[in-house]
Amino acid sequence: MNDDSTLSDALADLPRLRQIPMSKAFDPIAYVIQAGRELVAAFEAGSFATTPAQVGSAREVPARKKFMQLLPRGVGVGSGFVIDSFGATSRQMDVVLYEREICPVFAINEDPASTYYPCEGVIAVGEIKSVLDSNALIDTFEKIDSVKKLRRFARATPGGPPGVGDYVAYRKYGSLSGIATPKPGDYDQTGNPRDQIYGFSLAGRVALSAETLCDKFLQLALDTGYELSPNLVAALDGTVVCPLSIPTDLHNPSIVNSIQQANSIYSVVHPDRSFSFLLAKLQEAFSFGRTVEAVAFGRYFAKEGVLTLPPDGTTKWLP
């Protein structure tokens, strides 16, 4: 066969080639479901480690990588401790999600286990558990409580816009611009769940019945305080535990952000979707959560956020 006949045959096939259908549209939901399945496999592989610490690390690392891959680029993913400018430090957290472009990060000798994040720039914290049993649930509550107790530096600003007066401004995560709104729009870390650091647990599986899990979660929330309790528990076996608001007519209950907004605790098993649900809630926390003005970061570099120099230096006047 010569070159001319080969070209002729190829040209004759063009109408047929044009009829070959394009590949189907990309399905992001299926993609995230597959990411959850990959994380299940990673958790199972982690069980081959020979010590509890190694098992924990073998599961924390792939979880953090998935968060880094799937959450917005403005979200940094790390681990370590959360601090406030009043001298308090949280317990060590497996996952710390923070404002990557804004939040200072203090890492001792570049060690992830000895890294500290100012609470004003932290979006969410999480605990990774192989198995969620009673002890693991208690540990999750205690660690998240240690973060949510930290005080963000919220200063009152006098002389706001007309009708506002003195106000405590807030800003959206990822933004440096403070926003003032009439009360009750002020920043309120205690009363407004959107002004709090989001807390979650991601487990490989749950070792409690749904009824026992809800009972223990509710009792721990009562003992800890609703505003200091986890916002969500998810497990790769499909289990989700979240706060639920049920109207008096029992119609159209809604999943809410915090137990502060709820009147019940809801547990359900939804295979393949628990990790997707956690990611959606973290995306929501980043998109709609609020923190204080960025001026608070200055307090981690100088006392009261004001840099001062000794008064006994040498001064030369400009001509």
Side-chain angles (χ1 to χ4, degrees):
M1 182 179 292
N2 59 39
D3 291 342
D4 289 341
S5 62
T6 302
L7 178 60
S8 176
D9 291 343
L11 292 172
D13 281 340
L14 282 178
R16 180 181 62 82
L17 291 174
R18 291 194 190 100
Q19 295 173 10
I20 296 175
M22 298 291 288
S23 61
K24 64 180 181 180
F26 174 69
D27 186 344
I29 295 176
Y31 181 88
V32 175
I33 289 174
Q34 179 59 32
R37 291 172 180 167
E38 292 169 1
L39 196 53
V40 170
F43 269 49
E44 291 174 351
S47 64
F48 289 102
T50 56
T51 69
Q54 289 173 328
V55 170
S57 177
R59 289 171 173 167
E60 293 164 20
V61 170
R64 287 195 291 267
K65 285 183 177 179
K66 287 299 181 188
F67 290 134
M68 193 175 302
Q69 174 190 353
L70 294 166
L71 290 174
R73 295 302 180 194
V75 179
V77 181
S79 63
F81 302 86
V82 185
I83 58 176
D84 68 21
S85 61
F86 301 93
T89 302
S90 76
R91 293 178 59 182
Q92 187 173 4
M93 304 302 301
D94 295 335
V95 178
V96 178
L97 305 181
Y98 62 96
E99 297 175 287
R100 189 170 67 173
E101 304 298 331
I102 297 173
C103 180
V105 177
F106 305 100
I108 299 175
N109 295 327
E110 303 299 322
D111 181 4
S114 301
T115 301
Y116 299 81
Y117 307 83
C119 61
E120 290 84 358
V122 173
I123 303 159
V125 293
E127 278 296 293
I128 307 298
K129 303 294 184 186
S130 299
V131 179
L132 190 72
D133 55 16
S134 294
N135 290 333
L137 189 61
I138 291 170
D139 185 63
T140 294
F141 266 82
E142 290 177 348
K143 288 185 176 180
I144 289 175
D145 167 74
S146 76
V147 172
K148 291 197 174 192
K149 277 182 176 176
L150 299 174
R151 293 168 55 197
R152 287 173 166 173
F153 177 66
R155 65 174 185 175
T157 301
V164 176
D166 294 353
Y167 64 97
V168 179
Y170 66 88
R171 63 181 179 85
K172 305 291 288 183
Y173 289 127
S175 172
L176 289 172
S177 301
I179 302 171
T181 57
K183 296 180 185 302
D186 283 14
Y187 181 83
D188 180 4
Q189 185 175 340
T190 301
N192 188 346
R194 291 293 186 198
D195 294 348
Q196 300 164 3
I197 295 172
Y198 193 87
F200 69 92
S201 176
L202 175 63
R205 63 181 178 86
V206 174
L208 303 168
S209 69
E211 184 173 354
T212 300
L213 180 56
C214 285
D215 285 343
K216 289 186 176 296
F217 193 101
L218 179 58
Q219 186 57 56
L220 287 168
L222 288 168
D223 294 342
T224 303
Y226 289 170
E227 76 280 6
L228 303 175
S229 297
N231 301 76
L232 180 68
V233 171
L236 296 175
D237 63 7
T239 303
V240 172
V241 182
C242 59
L244 191 71
S245 178
I246 303 176
T248 54
D249 61 6
L250 305 183
H251 294 301
N252 299 320
S254 59
I255 296 170
V256 291
N257 188 58
S258 166
I259 306 177
Q260 289 174 277
Q261 304 162 313
N263 55 17
S264 56
I265 300 298
Y266 182 56
S267 176
V268 67
V269 176
H270 194 352
D272 278 340
R273 299 306 296 269
S274 56
F275 184 61
S276 303
F277 185 74
L278 171 60
L279 287 172
K281 297 303 288 185
L282 293 175
Q283 169 75 47
E284 185 180 297
F286 174 67
S287 299
F288 301 104
R290 313 191 314 175
T291 185
V292 294
E293 293 177 283
V295 67
F297 292 130
R299 292 169 56 87
Y300 295 91
F301 296 95
K303 187 176 180 181
E304 302 300 327
V306 179
L307 182 64
T308 59
L309 296 174
D312 56 353
T314 299
T315 302
K316 291 290 184 179
W317 292 96
L318 294 173

PDB file of all heavy atoms in Angstrom, residues 35-50 54-60 62-63 128-131 203-205 236-238 272:
ATOM      1  N   ALA A  35     -12.097   9.356  46.325  1.00  0.00           N
ATOM      2  CA  ALA A  35     -11.062   9.806  47.263  1.00  0.00           C
ATOM      3  C   ALA A  35     -11.305   9.224  48.651  1.00  0.00           C
ATOM      4  O   ALA A  35     -10.373   8.836  49.350  1.00  0.00           O
ATOM      5  CB  ALA A  35     -11.042  11.335  47.320  1.00  0.00           C
ATOM      6  N   GLY A  36     -12.579   9.149  49.035  1.00  0.00           N
ATOM      7  CA  GLY A  36     -12.913   8.531  50.315  1.00  0.00           C
ATOM      8  C   GLY A  36     -12.560   7.058  50.333  1.00  0.00           C
ATOM      9  O   GLY A  36     -12.047   6.539  51.344  1.00  0.00           O
ATOM     10  N   ARG A  37     -12.797   6.365  49.230  1.00  0.00           N
ATOM     11  CA  ARG A  37     -12.443   4.942  49.153  1.00  0.00           C
ATOM     12  C   ARG A  37     -10.934   4.760  49.236  1.00  0.00           C
ATOM     13  O   ARG A  37     -10.436   3.807  49.866  1.00  0.00           O
ATOM     14  CB  ARG A  37     -12.989   4.352  47.859  1.00  0.00           C
ATOM     15  CG  ARG A  37     -14.514   4.252  47.828  1.00  0.00           C
ATOM     16  CD  ARG A  37     -15.011   3.834  46.456  1.00  0.00           C
ATOM     17  NE  ARG A  37     -16.465   3.748  46.419  1.00  0.00           N
ATOM     18  CZ  ARG A  37     -17.188   3.656  45.308  1.00  0.00           C
ATOM     19  NH1 ARG A  37     -16.566   3.644  44.126  1.00  0.00           N
ATOM     20  NH2 ARG A  37     -18.494   3.573  45.360  1.00  0.00           N
ATOM     21  N   GLU A  38     -10.193   5.662  48.609  1.00  0.00           N
ATOM     22  CA  GLU A  38      -8.731   5.592  48.688  1.00  0.00           C
ATOM     23  C   GLU A  38      -8.255   5.807  50.122  1.00  0.00           C
ATOM     24  O   GLU A  38      -7.292   5.172  50.572  1.00  0.00           O
ATOM     25  CB  GLU A  38      -8.115   6.637  47.756  1.00  0.00           C
ATOM     26  CG  GLU A  38      -8.336   6.355  46.282  1.00  0.00           C
ATOM     27  CD  GLU A  38      -7.949   7.518  45.393  1.00  0.00           C
ATOM     28  OE1 GLU A  38      -7.478   8.547  45.945  1.00  0.00           O
ATOM     29  OE2 GLU A  38      -8.121   7.423  44.163  1.00  0.00           O
ATOM     30  N   LEU A  39      -8.952   6.669  50.830  1.00  0.00           N
ATOM     31  CA  LEU A  39      -8.582   6.915  52.225  1.00  0.00           C
ATOM     32  C   LEU A  39      -8.896   5.689  53.088  1.00  0.00           C
ATOM     33  O   LEU A  39      -8.146   5.362  54.013  1.00  0.00           O
ATOM     34  CB  LEU A  39      -9.323   8.146  52.749  1.00  0.00           C
ATOM     35  CG  LEU A  39      -8.796   8.777  54.034  1.00  0.00           C
ATOM     36  CD1 LEU A  39      -7.314   9.074  53.934  1.00  0.00           C
ATOM     37  CD2 LEU A  39      -9.565  10.060  54.340  1.00  0.00           C
ATOM     38  N   VAL A  40      -9.990   4.998  52.777  1.00  0.00           N
ATOM     39  CA  VAL A  40     -10.304   3.745  53.471  1.00  0.00           C
ATOM     40  C   VAL A  40      -9.155   2.764  53.287  1.00  0.00           C
ATOM     41  O   VAL A  40      -8.684   2.129  54.252  1.00  0.00           O
ATOM     42  CB  VAL A  40     -11.620   3.134  52.945  1.00  0.00           C
ATOM     43  CG1 VAL A  40     -11.804   1.724  53.495  1.00  0.00           C
ATOM     44  CG2 VAL A  40     -12.812   3.999  53.338  1.00  0.00           C
ATOM     45  N   ALA A  41      -8.673   2.632  52.053  1.00  0.00           N
ATOM     46  CA  ALA A  41      -7.562   1.720  51.772  1.00  0.00           C
ATOM     47  C   ALA A  41      -6.305   2.143  52.513  1.00  0.00           C
ATOM     48  O   ALA A  41      -5.556   1.305  53.034  1.00  0.00           O
ATOM     49  CB  ALA A  41      -7.309   1.663  50.267  1.00  0.00           C
ATOM     50  N   ALA A  42      -6.068   3.463  52.581  1.00  0.00           N
ATOM     51  CA  ALA A  42      -4.891   3.960  53.294  1.00  0.00           C
ATOM     52  C   ALA A  42      -4.984   3.655  54.791  1.00  0.00           C
ATOM     53  O   ALA A  42      -3.981   3.303  55.426  1.00  0.00           O
ATOM     54  CB  ALA A  42      -4.729   5.458  53.061  1.00  0.00           C
ATOM     55  N   PHE A  43      -6.186   3.784  55.351  1.00  0.00           N
ATOM     56  CA  PHE A  43      -6.373   3.455  56.762  1.00  0.00           C
ATOM     57  C   PHE A  43      -6.123   1.967  56.998  1.00  0.00           C
ATOM     58  O   PHE A  43      -5.528   1.576  58.006  1.00  0.00           O
ATOM     59  CB  PHE A  43      -7.786   3.834  57.204  1.00  0.00           C
ATOM     60  CG  PHE A  43      -7.900   5.225  57.761  1.00  0.00           C
ATOM     61  CD1 PHE A  43      -7.354   6.304  57.083  1.00  0.00           C
ATOM     62  CD2 PHE A  43      -8.545   5.472  58.962  1.00  0.00           C
ATOM     63  CE1 PHE A  43      -7.452   7.593  57.577  1.00  0.00           C
ATOM     64  CE2 PHE A  43      -8.640   6.756  59.478  1.00  0.00           C
ATOM     65  CZ  PHE A  43      -8.094   7.820  58.784  1.00  0.00           C
ATOM     66  N   GLU A  44      -6.594   1.133  56.089  1.00  0.00           N
ATOM     67  CA  GLU A  44      -6.384  -0.302  56.235  1.00  0.00           C
ATOM     68  C   GLU A  44      -4.893  -0.643  56.132  1.00  0.00           C
ATOM     69  O   GLU A  44      -4.382  -1.469  56.887  1.00  0.00           O
ATOM     70  CB  GLU A  44      -7.183  -1.053  55.175  1.00  0.00           C
ATOM     71  CG  GLU A  44      -8.688  -0.970  55.397  1.00  0.00           C
ATOM     72  CD  GLU A  44      -9.476  -1.596  54.255  1.00  0.00           C
ATOM     73  OE1 GLU A  44      -8.852  -1.936  53.222  1.00  0.00           O
ATOM     74  OE2 GLU A  44     -10.709  -1.747  54.404  1.00  0.00           O
ATOM     75  N   ALA A  45      -4.190   0.009  55.214  1.00  0.00           N
ATOM     76  CA  ALA A  45      -2.753  -0.220  55.082  1.00  0.00           C
ATOM     77  C   ALA A  45      -2.014   0.228  56.338  1.00  0.00           C
ATOM     78  O   ALA A  45      -1.018  -0.387  56.743  1.00  0.00           O
ATOM     79  CB  ALA A  45      -2.216   0.517  53.857  1.00  0.00           C
ATOM     80  N   GLY A  46      -2.519   1.279  56.977  1.00  0.00           N
ATOM     81  CA  GLY A  46      -1.877   1.771  58.196  1.00  0.00           C
ATOM     82  C   GLY A  46      -1.889   0.773  59.331  1.00  0.00           C
ATOM     83  O   GLY A  46      -1.064   0.845  60.245  1.00  0.00           O
ATOM     84  N   SER A  47      -2.813  -0.185  59.286  1.00  0.00           N
ATOM     85  CA  SER A  47      -2.904  -1.173  60.364  1.00  0.00           C
ATOM     86  C   SER A  47      -1.709  -2.115  60.380  1.00  0.00           C
ATOM     87  O   SER A  47      -1.485  -2.824  61.369  1.00  0.00           O
ATOM     88  CB  SER A  47      -4.199  -1.987  60.220  1.00  0.00           C
ATOM     89  OG  SER A  47      -4.187  -2.739  59.016  1.00  0.00           O
ATOM     90  N   PHE A  48      -0.898  -2.118  59.309  1.00  0.00           N
ATOM     91  CA  PHE A  48       0.284  -2.971  59.285  1.00  0.00           C
ATOM     92  C   PHE A  48       1.438  -2.381  60.097  1.00  0.00           C
ATOM     93  O   PHE A  48       2.436  -3.070  60.334  1.00  0.00           O
ATOM     94  CB  PHE A  48       0.741  -3.203  57.843  1.00  0.00           C
ATOM     95  CG  PHE A  48      -0.190  -4.091  57.063  1.00  0.00           C
ATOM     96  CD1 PHE A  48      -1.089  -3.543  56.159  1.00  0.00           C
ATOM     97  CD2 PHE A  48      -0.186  -5.457  57.239  1.00  0.00           C
ATOM     98  CE1 PHE A  48      -1.957  -4.349  55.438  1.00  0.00           C
ATOM     99  CE2 PHE A  48      -1.048  -6.277  56.518  1.00  0.00           C
ATOM    100  CZ  PHE A  48      -1.943  -5.722  55.619  1.00  0.00           C
ATOM    101  N   ALA A  49       1.339  -1.124  60.502  1.00  0.00           N
ATOM    102  CA  ALA A  49       2.369  -0.546  61.360  1.00  0.00           C
ATOM    103  C   ALA A  49       2.404  -1.298  62.685  1.00  0.00           C
ATOM    104  O   ALA A  49       1.415  -1.890  63.115  1.00  0.00           O
ATOM    105  CB  ALA A  49       2.100   0.938  61.581  1.00  0.00           C
ATOM    106  N   THR A  50       3.553  -1.250  63.363  1.00  0.00           N
ATOM    107  CA  THR A  50       3.767  -2.148  64.496  1.00  0.00           C
ATOM    108  C   THR A  50       3.598  -1.511  65.868  1.00  0.00           C
ATOM    109  O   THR A  50       3.642  -2.212  66.877  1.00  0.00           O
ATOM    110  CB  THR A  50       5.171  -2.761  64.411  1.00  0.00           C
ATOM    111  OG1 THR A  50       6.149  -1.710  64.342  1.00  0.00           O
ATOM    112  CG2 THR A  50       5.296  -3.644  63.175  1.00  0.00           C
ATOM    113  N   GLN A  54       2.855   4.601  65.329  1.00  0.00           N
ATOM    114  CA  GLN A  54       3.064   4.449  63.889  1.00  0.00           C
ATOM    115  C   GLN A  54       1.744   4.265  63.153  1.00  0.00           C
ATOM    116  O   GLN A  54       1.562   4.772  62.047  1.00  0.00           O
ATOM    117  CB  GLN A  54       3.993   3.264  63.628  1.00  0.00           C
ATOM    118  CG  GLN A  54       5.440   3.507  64.039  1.00  0.00           C
ATOM    119  CD  GLN A  54       6.284   2.252  63.914  1.00  0.00           C
ATOM    120  OE1 GLN A  54       5.802   1.139  64.100  1.00  0.00           O
ATOM    121  NE2 GLN A  54       7.557   2.437  63.596  1.00  0.00           N
ATOM    122  N   VAL A  55       0.826   3.532  63.764  1.00  0.00           N
ATOM    123  CA  VAL A  55      -0.497   3.361  63.162  1.00  0.00           C
ATOM    124  C   VAL A  55      -1.185   4.707  63.009  1.00  0.00           C
ATOM    125  O   VAL A  55      -1.754   5.043  61.959  1.00  0.00           O
ATOM    126  CB  VAL A  55      -1.369   2.399  63.996  1.00  0.00           C
ATOM    127  CG1 VAL A  55      -2.808   2.426  63.499  1.00  0.00           C
ATOM    128  CG2 VAL A  55      -0.817   0.985  63.932  1.00  0.00           C
ATOM    129  N   GLY A  56      -1.121   5.517  64.083  1.00  0.00           N
ATOM    130  CA  GLY A  56      -1.735   6.837  64.029  1.00  0.00           C
ATOM    131  C   GLY A  56      -1.136   7.700  62.946  1.00  0.00           C
ATOM    132  O   GLY A  56      -1.859   8.330  62.153  1.00  0.00           O
ATOM    133  N   SER A  57       0.190   7.722  62.875  1.00  0.00           N
ATOM    134  CA  SER A  57       0.860   8.535  61.862  1.00  0.00           C
ATOM    135  C   SER A  57       0.540   8.047  60.458  1.00  0.00           C
ATOM    136  O   SER A  57       0.328   8.851  59.540  1.00  0.00           O
ATOM    137  CB  SER A  57       2.371   8.497  62.097  1.00  0.00           C
ATOM    138  OG  SER A  57       3.054   9.224  61.099  1.00  0.00           O
ATOM    139  N   ALA A  58       0.471   6.713  60.281  1.00  0.00           N
ATOM    140  CA  ALA A  58       0.199   6.139  58.962  1.00  0.00           C
ATOM    141  C   ALA A  58      -1.197   6.490  58.473  1.00  0.00           C
ATOM    142  O   ALA A  58      -1.472   6.404  57.271  1.00  0.00           O
ATOM    143  CB  ALA A  58       0.378   4.620  59.006  1.00  0.00           C
ATOM    144  N   ARG A  59      -2.084   6.890  59.370  1.00  0.00           N
ATOM    145  CA  ARG A  59      -3.436   7.267  58.976  1.00  0.00           C
ATOM    146  C   ARG A  59      -3.616   8.780  58.926  1.00  0.00           C
ATOM    147  O   ARG A  59      -4.415   9.284  58.151  1.00  0.00           O
ATOM    148  CB  ARG A  59      -4.440   6.625  59.936  1.00  0.00           C
ATOM    149  CG  ARG A  59      -4.503   5.118  59.698  1.00  0.00           C
ATOM    150  CD  ARG A  59      -5.283   4.367  60.718  1.00  0.00           C
ATOM    151  NE  ARG A  59      -5.424   2.963  60.296  1.00  0.00           N
ATOM    152  CZ  ARG A  59      -5.836   1.979  61.075  1.00  0.00           C
ATOM    153  NH1 ARG A  59      -6.163   2.229  62.328  1.00  0.00           N
ATOM    154  NH2 ARG A  59      -5.925   0.750  60.621  1.00  0.00           N
ATOM    155  N   GLU A  60      -2.878   9.495  59.747  1.00  0.00           N
ATOM    156  CA  GLU A  60      -2.987  10.950  59.737  1.00  0.00           C
ATOM    157  C   GLU A  60      -2.415  11.538  58.452  1.00  0.00           C
ATOM    158  O   GLU A  60      -2.989  12.478  57.877  1.00  0.00           O
ATOM    159  CB  GLU A  60      -2.241  11.533  60.940  1.00  0.00           C
ATOM    160  CG  GLU A  60      -2.863  11.209  62.290  1.00  0.00           C
ATOM    161  CD  GLU A  60      -1.902  11.453  63.438  1.00  0.00           C
ATOM    162  OE1 GLU A  60      -0.924  12.212  63.225  1.00  0.00           O
ATOM    163  OE2 GLU A  60      -2.107  10.892  64.527  1.00  0.00           O
ATOM    164  N   PRO A  62      -2.078  10.350  55.208  1.00  0.00           N
ATOM    165  CA  PRO A  62      -2.949  10.343  54.018  1.00  0.00           C
ATOM    166  C   PRO A  62      -4.201  11.187  54.178  1.00  0.00           C
ATOM    167  O   PRO A  62      -4.699  11.752  53.201  1.00  0.00           O
ATOM    168  CB  PRO A  62      -3.296   8.859  53.832  1.00  0.00           C
ATOM    169  CG  PRO A  62      -3.002   8.207  55.131  1.00  0.00           C
ATOM    170  CD  PRO A  62      -1.891   8.990  55.751  1.00  0.00           C
ATOM    171  N   ALA A  63      -4.729  11.290  55.415  1.00  0.00           N
ATOM    172  CA  ALA A  63      -5.903  12.144  55.632  1.00  0.00           C
ATOM    173  C   ALA A  63      -5.556  13.598  55.343  1.00  0.00           C
ATOM    174  O   ALA A  63      -6.302  14.306  54.650  1.00  0.00           O
ATOM    175  CB  ALA A  63      -6.419  11.981  57.052  1.00  0.00           C
ATOM    176  N   ILE A 128      -7.874  12.352  64.121  1.00  0.00           N
ATOM    177  CA  ILE A 128      -7.942  11.152  63.303  1.00  0.00           C
ATOM    178  C   ILE A 128      -7.890   9.948  64.241  1.00  0.00           C
ATOM    179  O   ILE A 128      -6.945   9.798  65.022  1.00  0.00           O
ATOM    180  CB  ILE A 128      -6.774  11.085  62.297  1.00  0.00           C
ATOM    181  CG1 ILE A 128      -6.690  12.380  61.483  1.00  0.00           C
ATOM    182  CG2 ILE A 128      -6.934   9.877  61.389  1.00  0.00           C
ATOM    183  CD1 ILE A 128      -7.904  12.681  60.644  1.00  0.00           C
ATOM    184  N   LYS A 129      -8.892   9.087  64.159  1.00  0.00           N
ATOM    185  CA  LYS A 129      -8.971   7.915  65.026  1.00  0.00           C
ATOM    186  C   LYS A 129      -9.098   6.658  64.174  1.00  0.00           C
ATOM    187  O   LYS A 129      -9.855   6.624  63.207  1.00  0.00           O
ATOM    188  CB  LYS A 129     -10.190   8.008  65.953  1.00  0.00           C
ATOM    189  CG  LYS A 129     -10.227   9.259  66.829  1.00  0.00           C
ATOM    190  CD  LYS A 129      -9.100   9.268  67.830  1.00  0.00           C
ATOM    191  CE  LYS A 129      -9.201  10.464  68.773  1.00  0.00           C
ATOM    192  NZ  LYS A 129      -8.020  10.557  69.669  1.00  0.00           N
ATOM    193  N   SER A 130      -8.364   5.613  64.561  1.00  0.00           N
ATOM    194  CA  SER A 130      -8.526   4.327  63.884  1.00  0.00           C
ATOM    195  C   SER A 130      -9.917   3.771  64.144  1.00  0.00           C
ATOM    196  O   SER A 130     -10.638   3.379  63.218  1.00  0.00           O
ATOM    197  CB  SER A 130      -7.456   3.339  64.365  1.00  0.00           C
ATOM    198  OG  SER A 130      -6.163   3.808  64.074  1.00  0.00           O
ATOM    199  N   VAL A 131     -10.276   3.729  65.425  1.00  0.00           N
ATOM    200  CA  VAL A 131     -11.574   3.220  65.845  1.00  0.00           C
ATOM    201  C   VAL A 131     -12.188   4.233  66.804  1.00  0.00           C
ATOM    202  O   VAL A 131     -11.523   4.660  67.763  1.00  0.00           O
ATOM    203  CB  VAL A 131     -11.451   1.854  66.541  1.00  0.00           C
ATOM    204  CG1 VAL A 131     -12.822   1.366  67.000  1.00  0.00           C
ATOM    205  CG2 VAL A 131     -10.803   0.834  65.613  1.00  0.00           C
ATOM    206  N   ALA A 203     -12.737   9.084  61.742  1.00  0.00           N
ATOM    207  CA  ALA A 203     -12.333   7.764  62.223  1.00  0.00           C
ATOM    208  C   ALA A 203     -12.392   6.740  61.100  1.00  0.00           C
ATOM    209  O   ALA A 203     -13.068   6.945  60.085  1.00  0.00           O
ATOM    210  CB  ALA A 203     -13.245   7.321  63.374  1.00  0.00           C
ATOM    211  N   GLY A 204     -11.679   5.635  61.312  1.00  0.00           N
ATOM    212  CA  GLY A 204     -11.771   4.550  60.353  1.00  0.00           C
ATOM    213  C   GLY A 204     -13.115   3.854  60.440  1.00  0.00           C
ATOM    214  O   GLY A 204     -13.771   3.610  59.435  1.00  0.00           O
ATOM    215  N   ARG A 205     -13.525   3.561  61.677  1.00  0.00           N
ATOM    216  CA  ARG A 205     -14.829   2.940  61.888  1.00  0.00           C
ATOM    217  C   ARG A 205     -15.318   3.279  63.285  1.00  0.00           C
ATOM    218  O   ARG A 205     -14.547   3.733  64.139  1.00  0.00           O
ATOM    219  CB  ARG A 205     -14.753   1.419  61.713  1.00  0.00           C
ATOM    220  CG  ARG A 205     -13.860   0.713  62.728  1.00  0.00           C
ATOM    221  CD  ARG A 205     -13.815  -0.792  62.484  1.00  0.00           C
ATOM    222  NE  ARG A 205     -12.923  -1.459  63.431  1.00  0.00           N
ATOM    223  CZ  ARG A 205     -13.298  -1.879  64.641  1.00  0.00           C
ATOM    224  NH1 ARG A 205     -14.546  -1.691  65.053  1.00  0.00           N
ATOM    225  NH2 ARG A 205     -12.437  -2.488  65.434  1.00  0.00           N
ATOM    226  N   LEU A 236     -15.073   6.435  58.160  1.00  0.00           N
ATOM    227  CA  LEU A 236     -14.986   5.914  56.799  1.00  0.00           C
ATOM    228  C   LEU A 236     -15.836   4.674  56.580  1.00  0.00           C
ATOM    229  O   LEU A 236     -15.947   4.195  55.448  1.00  0.00           O
ATOM    230  CB  LEU A 236     -13.520   5.637  56.455  1.00  0.00           C
ATOM    231  CG  LEU A 236     -12.627   6.888  56.440  1.00  0.00           C
ATOM    232  CD1 LEU A 236     -11.172   6.504  56.219  1.00  0.00           C
ATOM    233  CD2 LEU A 236     -13.082   7.880  55.379  1.00  0.00           C
ATOM    234  N   ASP A 237     -16.450   4.137  57.657  1.00  0.00           N
ATOM    235  CA  ASP A 237     -17.428   3.058  57.474  1.00  0.00           C
ATOM    236  C   ASP A 237     -18.796   3.608  57.091  1.00  0.00           C
ATOM    237  O   ASP A 237     -19.768   2.861  56.960  1.00  0.00           O
ATOM    238  CB  ASP A 237     -17.532   2.195  58.736  1.00  0.00           C
ATOM    239  CG  ASP A 237     -18.040   2.967  59.958  1.00  0.00           C
ATOM    240  OD1 ASP A 237     -18.436   4.144  59.820  1.00  0.00           O
ATOM    241  OD2 ASP A 237     -18.043   2.386  61.059  1.00  0.00           O
ATOM    242  N   GLY A 238     -18.880   4.927  56.917  1.00  0.00           N
ATOM    243  CA  GLY A 238     -20.123   5.572  56.492  1.00  0.00           C
ATOM    244  C   GLY A 238     -20.870   6.297  57.590  1.00  0.00           C
ATOM    245  O   GLY A 238     -21.853   6.997  57.320  1.00  0.00           O
ATOM    246  N   ASP A 272     -19.991   5.363  51.662  1.00  0.00           N
ATOM    247  CA  ASP A 272     -19.275   6.134  50.629  1.00  0.00           C
ATOM    248  C   ASP A 272     -19.464   7.642  50.738  1.00  0.00           C
ATOM    249  O   ASP A 272     -18.780   8.386  50.034  1.00  0.00           O
ATOM    250  CB  ASP A 272     -19.691   5.710  49.210  1.00  0.00           C
ATOM    251  CG  ASP A 272     -18.970   4.462  48.741  1.00  0.00           C
ATOM    252  OD1 ASP A 272     -17.909   4.148  49.315  1.00  0.00           O
ATOM    253  OD2 ASP A 272     -19.469   3.802  47.822  1.00  0.00           O
TER     254      ASP A 272
END
